[in-house]
Amino acid sequence: MNESIATANRPNCGAPPATFYSAEDYNPADSVGYLMRRILSAVAAAVERELASTGLTHAQWIPLFKMHVNAGATVAELARQCEMDAGSMTRLLDRLEAKGLCRRERSSEDRRVVNLALTPQGREVAEQIPGALSRVQNAYLAGFERDEWLLLKSFLGRILDNAQPLGCAEKKS
């Protein structure tokens, strides 16, 4: 299976809901959401252990990595990318700034905008994150063949598409 085949059926907009679960025999341990949540929690803990030498917590490495890959150039953008409110992001950035990993600078064009930049030490720490993510995810995918991995990504992408009905409406326009 190649990557284009793995994503050929996406998005699944407008499909009727599945009927795999019912209230009469619902078992939370069989829930796809529950299994995904357990996987996310386990991966987060494993990544935090991998990054222990950096002193970063799970909450801290995510925005640091997003700044590293330029996904959050301003405080507002980074808060959106990390799905955090502005107050929480401000407190988190206070901690990252205290560690010497980033700095905030007011925009010269618009004083309401606060730009973010990694410090040299922040870049050095952020460069360790992709390796930690790769090691952890590869460990969790032990025994999978490449085709199975591509199929799993396709299935997860379809679930994500189903979770974003507004995205489906935009794609139809």
Side-chain angles (χ1 to χ4, degrees):
M1 171 190 285
N2 65 36
E3 291 190 46
S4 61
I5 292 172
T7 59
N9 294 329
R10 292 177 60 197
N12 196 17
C13 301
T19 57
F20 303 129
Y21 298 103
S22 69
E24 296 78 31
D25 62 355
Y26 185 81
N27 179 357
D30 291 334
S31 161
V32 171
Y34 172 75
L35 294 170
M36 288 190 295
R37 186 77 198 124
R38 285 196 56 204
I39 292 166
L40 284 173
S41 294
V43 167
V47 171
E48 193 165 331
R49 284 190 303 274
E50 280 282 322
L51 293 171
S53 66
T54 67
L56 294 175
T57 65
H58 174 72
Q60 293 170 348
W61 73 256
I62 293 172
L64 192 72
F65 182 63
K66 289 187 181 290
M67 282 187 275
H68 179 63
V69 296
N70 296 319
T74 68
V75 174
E77 287 172 21
L78 187 60
R80 276 191 299 277
Q81 288 289 320
C82 294
E83 299 177 3
M84 296 176 75
D85 63 77
S88 296
M89 180 55 65
T90 296
R91 289 186 296 278
L92 192 143
L93 288 170
D94 288 343
R95 290 189 291 276
L96 290 176
E97 216 168 14
K99 289 183 175 190
L101 301 175
C102 71
R103 65 181 180 278
R104 291 175 271 199
E105 302 167 345
R106 289 250 174 236
S107 167
S108 56
E109 291 97 38
D110 185 345
R111 288 178 15 110
R112 296 170 296 177
V113 175
V114 179
N115 294 312
L116 299 171
L118 293 176
T119 63
Q121 180 185 355
R123 270 190 298 284
E124 187 178 308
V125 170
E127 287 169 358
Q128 297 176 49
I129 297 170
L133 292 170
S134 296
R135 286 188 298 277
V136 168
Q137 290 187 55
N138 284 332
Y140 277 69
L141 292 167
F144 281 76
E145 299 294 328
R146 180 175 176 75
D147 287 349
E148 293 172 321
W149 170 66
L150 292 172
L151 190 58
L152 176 60
K153 289 192 331 176
S154 173
F155 290 158
L156 293 172
R158 283 173 52 195
I159 291 171
L160 185 59
D161 287 342
N162 288 340
Q164 299 177 8
L166 293 177
C168 290
E170 290 172 9
K171 291 175 187 173
K172 288 182 180 179
S173 310

